[in-house]
Amino acid sequence: MSDASLEDIVSLCKRRGFVYQGSEIYGGEAGLYDFGPYGVELLNNIKKSWWRRNVHLKENYVGIDSAIFKHPKVWEASGHVNGFSDPLAECKECHYRIRVDKELNAIGVEADEKMDEAALNKLFDANRDKIKCPNCGKKNFAEAHAFNLLVMSNLGDFTGTNERPVYLPGEACQGIYLNFKNVVDTTRMKVPFGIAQIGKAFRNEISPRNFLFRTRELEQADTQYFVKPNENKEAYDKIKADRWEWYVNDLGLAEAKLRWKQHENLVFYAKDAWDIEYNYPSLGFDEVEGIHDRTDYDLSQHMKFSGTDLNYQDPVTNEKYIPWILETSMGMGRIFLAVMSDAYTVEDLGNGESRTLLKLKPELAPVKYAVFPLLKNKPELVAKAREIYEQLSQQHICEWDDNGNIGKRYRRQDEIGTPYCVVIDFQTLEDGTVTVRDRDTTEQTRKKIDELI
Ligand code: ATP
């Protein structure tokens, strides 16, 4: 079962050390979250799975890790300085700003942030009586205007004037475009090939909300696939299919909770764009990842703004061209939330009791084995259990727990998704077998220690 609400997920994340509100001891800071001890393990396991499929298992893909800060012109070339904005309207009563396209969507009106201002304001005007200020409850808004989302910094400004503002990345993928030429010049990659990166991005989201779904600091896992002009269509379909497979096969997400959504309003240079959406608890279907067919826009822009020739020369035909790009861009927070939501299960035990478990794929689980001595006051059991714990820890992430009765220890591990609990009892001392308890079935089987290792 997973009719969990978002609140249930947030509460488990907090209670069991997966995710904390950012700067909580200071009262919290909006749109920022910290991953706790189990959260960082799960996050890293999702990243590893993504990296394996997109870098290690693909012969013509390589990974990079670019610097967060970039030359300020990068963000002019990318269009972010002038065009990276959300349409906001300010409440004339309390100055609270709302995101007009999202408020329209919430009352069932089709609108999105790429619409031009006049068209959006027309829709807004026609529906003003239905949109209340979430802060003061009045319906007295000014017109919608574009509000830039880039976050600025004073890196390298020693004059105090900040005449050359340096931006935090609005999206992580720009680091890939900046290194396209480096990769071509220094590796054996030949078009078509891809570059993958997981990197941080920052957006001045006016109303960060829904936990990890809309944050101001985020992480994106991106691939950019460089193809010969007009050789985009087949590769695009293949990339889409491959991404879907990762969600279903590698992460094990329920296919019924995923769907495709094609963009209706494309940016002028794009050929096609699809989102993968997940059916989030309390939120419904919403975007986890965008897959974009972007033509030669990105490299052409960087060539124009940097003055560096970014043409690719085919080593066989000597033909020169600017490659077209097929992009996949997934938010790590959103996939983390999807994985948690999908795994979250409350099982009715029939006697008025229930157990909460995370049915994570073992590869994703933060802890693989929990090791328990049956009794903590029997030194010979504890010594044997420590020996097994230390042996297992050489290969797997393990957790030691000797506190409370075994049932309680099982519940604690269920809640963090540990697939196996290993119990060391008196029989272990005699024949070297342990009880292995399965998280999902709760079945217990006796196994030789060697079988686990
Ligand atoms: P949205 O329309 O929801 O604002 P977007 O279309 O602007 O998202 P992209 O710019 O395509 O998103 O970014 C790629 C991915 O990065 C998204 O699919 C999403 O998973 C993630 N992402 C974007 N903005 C945020 C955010 N504020 N918080 C968390 N994840 C985000």
Side-chain angles (χ1 to χ4, degrees):
M1 174 201 100
S2 195
D3 336 321
S5 66
L6 187 61
E7 229 172 278
D8 295 328
I9 309 292
V10 175
S11 154
L12 178 79
C13 281
K14 169 78 205 287
R15 196 169 73 243
R16 298 310 314 272
F18 281 87
V19 183
Y20 309 120
Q21 170 71 58
S23 310
E24 197 174 8
I25 61 167
Y26 285 89
E29 184 67 10
L32 301 175
Y33 289 91
D34 298 337
F35 288 90
Y38 294 128
V40 69
E41 295 295 340
L42 174 56
L43 186 71
N44 283 343
N45 290 340
I46 298 173
K47 287 182 189 174
K48 266 188 243 160
S49 165
W50 184 90
W51 195 265
R52 181 174 147 76
R53 180 174 271 268
N54 289 295
V55 182
H56 294 165
L57 293 181
K58 289 198 172 98
E59 210 176 334
N60 61 342
Y61 274 71
V62 287
I64 61 158
D65 187 11
S66 67
I68 285 189
F69 286 104
K70 293 164 178 75
H71 192 289
K73 269 195 175 174
V74 168
W75 303 105
E76 288 173 35
S78 68
H80 284 74
V81 171
N82 291 322
F84 187 49
S85 54
D86 279 342
L88 305 182
E90 187 168 310
C91 171
K92 289 183 185 168
E93 311 284 336
C94 72
H95 303 294
Y96 189 89
R97 287 175 178 171
I98 56 160
R99 182 118 175 232
V100 175
D101 55 327
K102 298 284 176 201
E103 294 294 337
L104 286 167
N105 294 158
I107 55 165
V109 178
E110 283 278 333
D112 76 51
E113 80 268 20
K114 289 179 210 83
M115 289 176 81
D116 79 62
E117 231 164 75
L120 189 69
N121 271 308
K122 213 166 149 194
L123 283 180
F124 186 33
D125 287 342
N127 291 286
R128 276 171 182 267
D129 56 322
K130 296 186 207 107
I131 301 176
K132 265 202 277 188
C133 173
N135 192 42
C136 71
K138 306 257 172 57
K139 295 176 180 170
N140 188 13
F141 290 102
E143 275 199 342
H145 284 300
F147 179 86
N148 197 293
L149 298 174
L150 272 185
V151 178
M152 215 184 269
S153 130
N154 65 346
L155 187 85
D157 170 40
F158 301 106
T159 63
T161 56
N162 212 12
E163 277 165 0
R164 184 181 175 272
V166 178
Y167 300 96
L168 284 133
E171 58 185 14
C173 61
Q174 293 298 326
I176 298 184
Y177 308 141
L178 301 186
N179 284 290
F180 163 74
K181 186 171 154 43
N182 283 335
V183 170
V184 169
D185 291 348
T186 60
T187 73
R188 295 172 60 208
M189 289 295 124
K190 292 184 185 65
V191 170
F193 75 91
I195 303 180
Q197 175 180 240
I198 299 177
K200 291 264 187 178
F202 301 82
R203 298 182 177 186
N204 247 333
E205 298 278 357
I206 189 72
S207 51
R209 62 188 170 280
N210 299 332
F211 193 40
L212 299 173
F213 187 83
R214 190 168 299 285
T215 53
R216 289 189 176 139
E217 175 173 337
L218 54 132
E219 206 166 21
Q220 292 174 315
D222 294 327
T223 66
Q224 308 287 326
Y225 192 60
F226 302 90
V227 297
K228 203 171 157 181
N230 295 306
E231 294 191 355
N232 52 322
K233 188 72 190 81
E234 200 182 316
Y236 186 68
D237 290 343
K238 254 175 111 171
I239 288 172
K240 276 177 64 193
D242 188 66
R243 292 305 301 135
W244 188 264
E245 254 183 52
W246 182 72
Y247 285 83
V248 177
N249 296 351
D250 298 15
L251 297 187
L253 296 188
E255 205 159 2
K257 294 221 168 149
L258 292 163
R259 73 175 187 198
W260 285 109
K261 185 174 176 204
Q262 189 169 23
H263 287 210
E264 280 167 17
N265 298 309
L266 289 176
V267 283
F268 68 92
Y269 51 82
K271 288 272 179 217
D272 203 356
W274 290 78
D275 292 337
I276 294 182
E277 296 191 330
Y278 180 79
N279 193 359
Y280 289 100
S282 313
L283 310 180
F285 277 101
D286 216 328
E287 173 178 348
V288 199
E289 169 161 357
I291 298 164
H292 310 130
D293 185 346
R294 299 176 60 89
T295 68
D296 65 359
Y297 179 75
D298 307 285
L299 291 181
S300 299
Q301 285 292 101
H302 284 303
M303 181 153 143
K304 193 161 111 197
F305 279 74
S306 68
T308 304
D309 185 3
L310 296 178
N311 273 290
Y312 173 80
Q313 184 162 17
D314 187 297
V316 178
T317 63
N318 284 332
E319 198 184 345
K320 263 182 139 185
Y321 55 82
I322 296 181
W324 285 16
I325 288 178
L326 307 172
E327 165 183 75
T328 71
S329 182
M330 176 187 76
M332 286 309 308
R334 290 193 192 178
I335 191 66
F336 183 97
L337 185 56
V339 167
M340 282 298 278
S341 309
D342 221 68
Y344 185 92
T345 309
V346 179
E347 220 171 68
D348 187 355
L349 298 177
N351 48 359
E353 281 185 27
S354 63
R355 70 170 181 136
T356 302
L357 65 155
L358 285 185
K359 284 191 171 177
L360 292 168
K361 272 198 125 183
E363 301 90 300
L364 299 181
V367 175
K368 315 295 184 204
Y369 284 108
V371 181
F372 310 157
L374 181 66
L375 300 165
K376 80 168 173 188
N377 56 1
K378 295 281 174 224
E380 65 276 33
L381 280 187
V382 174
K384 187 70 192 165
R386 291 271 351 150
E387 187 190 312
I388 291 170
Y389 168 74
E390 271 151 33
Q391 252 179 316
L392 273 177
S393 296
Q394 296 299 317
Q395 285 171 357
H396 305 283
I397 298 177
C398 298
E399 194 164 283
W400 172 264
D401 191 358
D402 58 9
N403 196 16
N405 69 44
I406 291 283
K408 278 207 183 115
R409 290 186 241 170
Y410 285 152
R411 295 286 177 281
R412 281 202 284 273
Q413 296 301 327
D414 287 344
E415 264 197 341
I416 61 161
T418 307
Y420 305 108
C421 294
V422 177
V423 182
I424 285 81
D425 55 21
F426 293 103
Q427 198 180 323
T428 315
L429 302 178
E430 284 163 24
D431 63 8
T433 62
V434 292
T435 304
V436 180
R437 184 260 196 185
D438 184 286
R439 175 195 68 202
D440 298 344
T441 62
T442 71
E443 247 168 54
Q444 300 179 13
T445 41
R446 281 210 86 86
K447 285 201 168 136
K448 282 264 184 212
I449 296 159
D450 296 349
E451 285 179 66
L452 303 182
I453 292 161

